[in-house]
Amino acid sequence: MALEIRPIRLPERADAPDAGELVAYADLLRRLDVEALGTSELTRRPREVLHDLRRAEFATYTGIGAFDGGRLIGLAEVQWEVDDGESTSYVEVIGVHPDRRREGIGSRLLAAAEVAARAAGRPNTVLSADHLVERGEPSGPRLRPPQGDGDIPADAPAARFAIAHGYALGQLYRVSAMDVAGRADEFRRRLAEARSRASDGYRLVAWQERAPDHLVDSLAIAHERMSTDPPAGAIEWGLEHWNASRIRDGERRSREVGRIGLAVAAVAADGEVAGFTELSLLPDSRAVEQWDTIVLAPHRGHRLGMRLKLENLVRLQATDASRERVYTWNADENEHMLAINLDLGFRPFALESVWQRP
C-alpha cells in the first residue's frame, strides 16, 4: 500500500471509539520526546493534543501524519497565528518512527507542512528540534547560531535534515530543569529576603487559573511583548496579538485539558502590569512547565524577575508539594534570565535548535 500523507482525523473526544489516530499521534509524540529529551514528562496527552489541533480563534494547529497501511509512522505539526498580515509558520514537531527512517518520509512530511503554511499565507517556515546536552568534551564539527554561546553537533540528524532542506540555524534555546522537591523552606526564606529588600513601590498579585478582571487588559499588553522583547537571534518570529479574550481563551483551554495555572504579576503604582510569570502544572505528571516570564522595559532593574519567580515557586509548593521538577526554555543569548534561572537552581539538559530559510 502506498504511503499516505494527510492530516490526522480528529474525534469528538479523546476517549471516543474513533480516537485511534489521535492516540497513535500522542504515542508517537511520546516516543520522539523520550528519544530527544530522555523523558516523556512533558509529552502532551491525547486530550491536550486534540484541544491544540482544534484551535482556530487565535492560532491554528495542523497535525499531519504519514500512514502506511493505516499505521502512523511519522508526523509533523505546524501552527501559525490567524491575524492578517502575519507570514510566519512554525513546524514545532516533525519525526518518523525509528524503524522507518531514511526513506524520505520526513521530507514528505515537511513538504506537506510547508504546503499547508503557504496555503494559509504563512510562507516563512520555522523548524524546531531538540538535542540532549552532550556529556564530556564535544567532538567533531559544531554549528553555532549568530548569537549566544551554545552549539550543536554539525552531524546531528536534525541539523543534517534542516540544512538539506535549505534551512539555516538561527537560534538556540536552552532547555533547563530544576528539582523543587523538598525546597519549600528554601524558597520561602529567599522570598522573605527579597521582600525585605524591596522598596520600589511594586506590589505582587497572584492568582490560580483566572487573572483578575482589573488586570487582564494590562496583562494582555505584557503577553504581547513576549513575542517582541526577548532575543530573537536570526529568526523572523511573528507578532502574537493579545487581548483579554485571548487570555481567557488560554485559561479555559488549560482547565479543559487538566492543567493548573499559577501566575504572579508585579503591579506598578499606576495599576499597570509591570511584569509577570506563569507556571503550568501538567496533568498526570510530576512535572511543571515554566511559561512566560517578562519584566517590561520601563520597570527593569528592580529584581522583579527573581521576586516573581520565587513567589510562584512558594505557591507551587503550597498548591502541589508532590511536583518534582520545573522545566523552562530560554534563548541562549538571554543572559539576564539565564542568570536568574541558574541562581534558582535550573541546570541545562537540552538545547532546542530553531531554523529558518535565509
Side-chain angles (χ1 to χ4, degrees):
M1 184 176 294
L3 188 72
E4 184 182 14
I5 307 290
R6 61 168 172 79
I8 70 163
R9 298 188 179 102
L10 300 180
E12 286 298 316
R13 303 186 320 274
D15 59 353
D18 62 345
E21 287 190 9
L22 174 70
V23 173
Y25 188 95
D27 286 344
L28 184 51
L29 282 174
R30 180 177 296 105
R31 182 173 191 132
L32 295 171
D33 277 352
V34 171
E35 181 180 9
L37 296 173
T39 179
S40 62
E41 283 190 324
L42 302 174
T43 304
R44 290 169 293 161
R45 278 47 175 178
R47 181 169 53 161
E48 185 163 8
V49 174
L50 179 60
H51 271 70
D52 282 346
L53 297 183
R54 281 181 168 167
R55 292 178 66 177
E57 186 174 357
F58 301 102
T60 295
Y61 284 67
T62 300
I64 301 169
F67 295 88
D68 188 358
R71 176 191 175 213
L72 181 71
I73 58 173
L75 59 84
E77 192 168 303
V78 58
Q79 64 102 352
W80 54 81
E81 293 286 300
V82 301
D83 295 283
D84 292 338
E86 293 301 315
S87 62
T88 303
S89 57
Y90 307 94
V91 182
E92 298 186 334
V93 183
I94 186 166
V96 176
H97 195 281
D99 64 10
R100 296 300 302 271
R101 290 173 185 164
R102 305 189 69 80
E103 298 179 27
I105 298 171
S107 296
R108 292 183 61 181
L109 285 165
L110 176 59
E114 291 174 335
V115 167
R118 286 197 299 270
R122 308 296 189 271
N124 299 328
T125 306
V126 174
L127 301 180
S128 299
D130 292 315
H131 314 258
L132 281 173
V133 171
E134 301 159 273
R135 298 184 182 276
E137 285 295 320
S139 60
R142 315 294 294 180
L143 288 177
R144 301 178 186 275
Q147 300 174 19
D149 298 324
D151 57 44
I152 58 173
D155 64 351
R160 295 200 307 268
F161 177 83
I163 292 170
H165 291 84
Y167 288 79
L169 180 61
Q171 192 172 33
L172 289 176
Y173 270 75
R174 192 182 301 183
V175 188
S176 304
M178 176 177 66
D179 293 330
V180 295
R183 298 180 64 190
D185 289 343
E186 174 196 344
F187 292 140
R188 283 194 292 266
R189 174 183 56 80
R190 294 188 62 175
L191 178 60
E193 293 172 354
R195 286 172 172 168
S196 69
R197 295 192 297 267
S199 58
D200 44 42
Y202 296 94
R203 60 186 176 92
L204 300 190
V205 178
W207 63 88
Q208 180 173 325
E209 308 294 351
R210 181 180 172 86
D213 289 339
H214 70 282
L215 291 180
V216 69
D217 290 325
S218 179
L219 184 64
I221 294 172
H223 270 282
E224 188 163 304
R225 298 307 302 177
M226 277 298 303
S227 67
T228 59
D229 285 14
I235 299 298
E236 192 178 320
W237 298 105
L239 174 65
E240 292 184 0
H241 296 278
W242 281 79
N243 54 25
S245 295
R246 184 165 187 165
I247 289 178
R248 296 301 186 218
D249 179 71
E251 293 168 343
R252 176 184 60 80
R253 287 180 176 277
S254 287
R255 289 193 299 270
E256 289 177 351
V257 302
R259 286 178 177 256
I260 298 172
L262 301 177
V264 183
V267 181
D270 61 1
E272 297 298 302
V273 170
F276 73 94
T277 190
E278 297 175 307
L279 292 173
S280 181
L281 286 63
L282 283 76
D284 307 317
S285 175
R286 298 298 187 192
V288 178
E289 292 178 348
Q290 170 69 67
W291 284 3
D292 291 349
T293 299
I294 189 172
V295 176
L296 302 187
H299 305 282
R300 292 172 188 162
H302 301 279
R303 292 186 59 82
L304 287 175
M306 177 64 82
R307 287 163 56 190
L308 287 166
K309 288 199 170 190
L310 284 169
E311 180 79 29
N312 228 17
L313 288 169
V314 168
R315 295 181 64 239
L316 170 63
Q317 298 288 315
T319 302
D320 187 350
S322 71
R323 299 290 170 154
E324 297 176 351
R325 277 169 297 282
V326 178
Y327 292 87
T328 190
W329 293 256
N330 301 98
D332 189 57
E333 62 269 35
N334 193 346
E335 296 178 357
H336 177 69
M337 193 57 69
L338 288 172
I340 291 175
N341 288 338
L342 287 171
D343 190 12
L344 287 169
F346 281 97
R347 294 295 178 262
F349 78 98
L351 290 170
E352 179 185 359
S353 59
V354 188
W355 308 76
Q356 191 168 33
R357 282 203 178 98

